[in-house]
Amino acid sequence: MNQTNDEIYNSILQYLERCEKELEKKYIDIVSFKSIGQYVNWNKLIDDNK
């Protein structure tokens, strides 16, 4: 995956925003994700789960 933490965060955020549009009758609360997602070490989180 050779992505930076910022790239991973932005990829996940874009995916969640697309889901909001595609799942019109569902509400996806991404406020907390936006608040804390940029501070998560995504690379470590991914590596620890392999």
Side-chain angles (χ1 to χ4, degrees), residues 1-12:
M1 271 183 75
N2 298 337
Q3 291 182 307
T4 66
N5 285 316
D6 287 336
E7 290 171 332
I8 296 169
Y9 165 73
N10 286 320
S11 294
I12 296 169

Side-chain angles (χ1 to χ4, degrees), residues 1 3 12 16 18 22 24-25 35 40-42 50:
M1 271 183 75
Q3 291 182 307
I12 296 169
L16 292 172
R18 280 195 318 268
E22 292 176 16
E24 296 172 357
K25 296 182 181 183
S35 296
V40 174
N41 185 341
W42 293 104
K50 287 185 179 178

Side-chain angles (χ1 to χ4, degrees), residues 28-44:
I28 301 174
D29 186 359
I30 60 174
V31 174
S32 295
F33 179 79
K34 287 181 177 180
S35 296
I36 64 169
Q38 58 191 336
Y39 302 107
V40 174
N41 185 341
W42 293 104
N43 282 306
K44 178 152 177 45

